[in-house]
Structure formats: structure tokens, C-alpha cells
Amino acid sequence: MTSRRSALSLLAGAGAALAVGAPSAHARAARPRPFGRHGSPARRLDARTLYVDPHGRGDHTDVRSALDAATGSGRTLVIAPGTYRGPVTVPADRAGLTLIGASGDARDTVLVHDNAAGTPKPDGSGTLGTSGSATVTVQAAGLTVRDVTFANDWLRSDNPEYTGTQAVAIKVQGDRSAFYGCRFLGHQDTLYADSLSLTAFARQYYRDCYVEGDVDFVFGRATAVYDRCHFRTLTRTDLASAPYGFVFAPSTAGANPHGFLVLRSRVTSTAPDAYYKLARPWVPSTDLTAHPMLTVRDTYLGPGIDAVTPYADMSADFPWQEQRFAEHRNTGPGARVTAPADRPQLSASEARAHTPAGWLGDWRP
């Protein structure tokens, strides 16, 4: 049987594979200087910077111990190329934290684990659930991450007995969370863009990032902007027909005027044409007043997206037509409008309000 690591690499495709054990040429050349231009323990950029290297050339050999040491706010972790396995939590008291993948290539610095929602808890009291499956959980505000891969390499094929197949790579709850040049790898529920509570409208910004998965793999109730990102839907061998899954599943709180905004991005696929829906609304049982919101604009939608019926319902009680879904000036075969009622479009005047500035307010990441 193909291992979970190699399977995820194969599904990701050329240039998009989970590079476990396969650092980039840049990383191989930089091994004598694992932290690149970011200093080292001997040439520390400042007293608030810590260095992580699995080969012992930093202050810590794993991210969890570095986070334990990075008390207070405004700390920086420079993470050398390597694969760091195990769940990690960034607690609320680590506000203003910065994580930097030292090589400048997210393929080189990988935070990964393999829990799923159906994984039994160590104490035998039940299963982990969706949130508990996350490789990384971020509760702190003001997080900035550059050039890091977050992955969950749990596979359905390795665990056919599981019914809880959600496997989160990262759950982000903090306000003012920004990710640049990062990669998010998984299958179901890869990127959980959330908030700490129903009344906390956490703002998040993703720029030049890559996200892959199959079912609802970008989901949650955050106010999130995805700018110049690449979303890739994966082939599934456990299903014989469409749909394989859904790219977006927002669960925006009803009181929140802003949900997910996708712009200047692209959606591609390794699956057959029209085997994916663009989105479906998630109204969780914990918030039946949710009013999911998604705007996709100025984005290329590849042939993997079903252009005829790009949206679907998660529950018949909450049809997608009653949610806040809209598009504007998208291109590609998956953006073709054949039935206008099934492709709600913003007018030019309406689109002027659907911008990063409109979503993020006084925060300028």
C-alpha cells in the first residue's frame, strides 16, 4: 500500500508535492547556513528571535519546544529546512508571533501530522473531532507566517474504518493572521479559517499561497482574504462519479458583514473536468444563524469546476441560494455562465465594496 506521505506527494502533482525528504536545490545549497539570511544563534538578529533546526544547529530542534520558550509577544521563530512532525498550538498569549521558513521556499520547511476527526483520543474518551485533528492550531492574534508548509497526511485509504475523515492541516482563529508564500496540504478540511468565538470576527490574509484538498478544504467563519492564491482539487480513488468535493465551505456568522473573499487567484485540478463544485455553505449545528458568505472575483476557474452547477447545498434546510455567494469577472472554463440564476454576479458598483480594504478595515497586512 502506498504510504500516506508518498500518496500525498503523488496526488499533489509536479511542483506541488509535499516535499518530505526532498528539499529544494536552494535548501541543499544552503545547508552550511541553515538559517540563510536570517542570522543564527551566533549572529542573532535580535534578542526576541529563536532558531529551530532539526539537526541541532539552532536554539531548539522542534517547533513545539521553541514555542514553549517564546514567551510574551512579538517573538520570531526562524525555522530551518526540515520536516517537523507532531501537533502544534500557538496559544493566545503568543501575540504578534512571526514564523519564517528560512530557505524562502515553503517546500523546504514542513509542519505535518496525521490525525483525523475519527482518531481516538489518547485517554479513550472519544475521538479528536475536526478541530482536534489539526496539525497546527493558532489562537494568538497578530500571527505572520512566511514560506512554511502546513500539512495533514492522514489518508482515507489507510483507515477505511473511519467515519470522521476530516483532517485539518491548520486551524487559524486569531485576528490579524497573515500568511505569505505558504502551502496548505491535505484532503478534507485542509485550511480551517476560523475565529475564537461567534462574536469575534477574526481577519485573515493569505497572499501567494497554495492550498490543496478535496472536501470543503477551505472552510470556516473567519473574515478571510485569499489574494493571488492557487487552489488545487485532487483526484479521488474512493469515488466513481462526481462530485468529488467542494473548494470552499464558509460558515460566516450572520452578524459578520464579511466572509471569504477570493481574488486574483486560480483554481486548478488533477480530477476529471467538472468533478468539483466551487462551494457549498456550511451552517453548523452550533450556529444555526450562520449566513455563509463567499465572493470569488478576477479569478481563473479551471475545467475541474462544474460550470453548470458550481454550488451545492450541505443541508436542504440552508440552500446556497439563500446565502451570500457572488462572483465577478472570473475567467476560465469553470467560470462559464450557462444559467445566470446559478451564477450570481456582482455589478461593477457592487464589486467596488468587495476588496481587501473593505474586508480588513483598519488592518493593512
Side-chain angles (χ1 to χ4, degrees):
M1 178 179 291
T2 303
S3 73
R4 59 178 180 268
R5 294 176 193 153
S6 60
L8 196 58
S9 297
L10 290 169
L11 289 173
L18 175 56
V20 175
S24 69
H26 180 241
R28 291 194 297 270
R31 274 178 176 156
R33 296 181 58 201
F35 306 109
R37 61 185 179 85
H38 302 287
S40 68
R43 298 182 296 110
R44 202 175 299 274
L45 294 183
D46 58 61
R48 303 192 66 74
T49 298
L50 294 175
Y51 296 88
V52 185
D53 174 60
H55 304 292
R57 295 167 293 183
D59 301 301
H60 299 272
T61 57
D62 66 275
V63 175
R64 279 182 289 182
S65 64
L67 279 169
D68 289 342
T71 56
S73 60
R75 302 298 295 265
T76 296
L77 301 187
V78 178
I79 309 172
T83 300
Y84 301 85
R85 182 167 288 277
V88 172
T89 296
V90 181
D93 62 0
R94 300 304 195 267
L97 179 71
T98 298
L99 304 180
I100 300 173
S103 76
D105 187 332
R107 291 174 297 178
D108 299 328
T109 303
V110 181
L111 276 61
V112 60
H113 202 55
D114 58 348
N115 281 331
T119 300
K121 291 181 179 179
D123 63 5
S125 62
T127 57
L128 292 175
T130 299
S131 293
S133 74
T135 296
V136 175
T137 302
V138 178
Q139 299 167 340
L143 176 75
T144 300
V145 185
R146 298 183 183 276
D147 306 318
V148 175
T149 291
F150 301 91
N152 191 318
D153 59 2
W154 184 91
L155 287 178
R156 300 182 188 95
S157 59
D158 289 349
N159 302 275
E161 76 281 9
Y162 277 43
T163 56
T165 57
Q166 301 87 345
V168 177
I170 187 170
K171 179 177 182 177
V172 186
Q173 296 178 284
D175 186 32
R176 295 175 287 106
S177 298
F179 297 80
Y180 302 92
C182 291
R183 293 156 59 79
F184 306 90
L185 310 182
H187 287 271
Q188 183 172 353
D189 290 7
T190 304
L191 172 54
Y192 193 171
D194 200 36
S195 68
L196 288 169
S197 71
L198 283 176
T199 57
F201 301 156
R203 295 164 295 177
Q204 300 172 16
Y205 182 70
Y206 302 81
R207 173 69 180 259
D208 298 317
C209 292
Y210 171 88
V211 193
E212 70 177 28
D214 48 39
V215 179
D216 305 330
F217 64 94
V218 182
F219 73 114
R221 66 180 175 221
T223 293
V225 174
Y226 306 93
D227 190 359
R228 293 185 173 91
C229 292
H230 180 189
F231 305 92
R232 191 158 180 83
T233 62
L234 300 177
T235 298
R236 294 184 64 175
T237 58
D238 58 317
L239 295 179
S241 61
Y244 278 174
F246 315 84
V247 182
F248 303 101
S251 58
T252 322
N256 190 348
H258 301 115
F260 288 177
L261 172 63
V262 181
L263 74 159
R264 299 175 291 207
S265 295
R266 58 188 172 122
V267 180
T268 64
S269 184
T270 65
D273 292 356
Y275 265 52
Y276 273 87
K277 306 292 187 182
L278 185 60
R280 63 178 178 173
W282 176 32
V283 178
S285 59
T286 54
D287 179 22
L288 297 179
T289 65
H291 195 192
M293 183 179 188
L294 168 70
T295 298
V296 181
R297 58 171 301 172
D298 303 294
T299 289
Y300 172 82
L301 304 180
I305 295 299
D306 179 358
V308 177
T309 54
Y311 303 107
D313 299 335
M314 190 176 295
S315 167
D317 294 331
F318 304 100
W320 74 263
Q321 294 90 341
E322 296 179 5
Q323 313 310 321
R324 295 176 284 177
F325 284 8
E327 301 179 53
H328 183 66
R329 294 195 314 189
N330 294 322
T331 59
R336 186 178 65 254
V337 178
T338 58
D342 292 329
R343 305 298 299 252
Q345 303 290 315
L346 296 173
S347 67
S349 60
E350 290 171 333
R352 283 194 285 271
H354 292 243
T355 64
W359 252 239
L360 302 178
D362 60 357
W363 178 45
R364 296 291 184 267

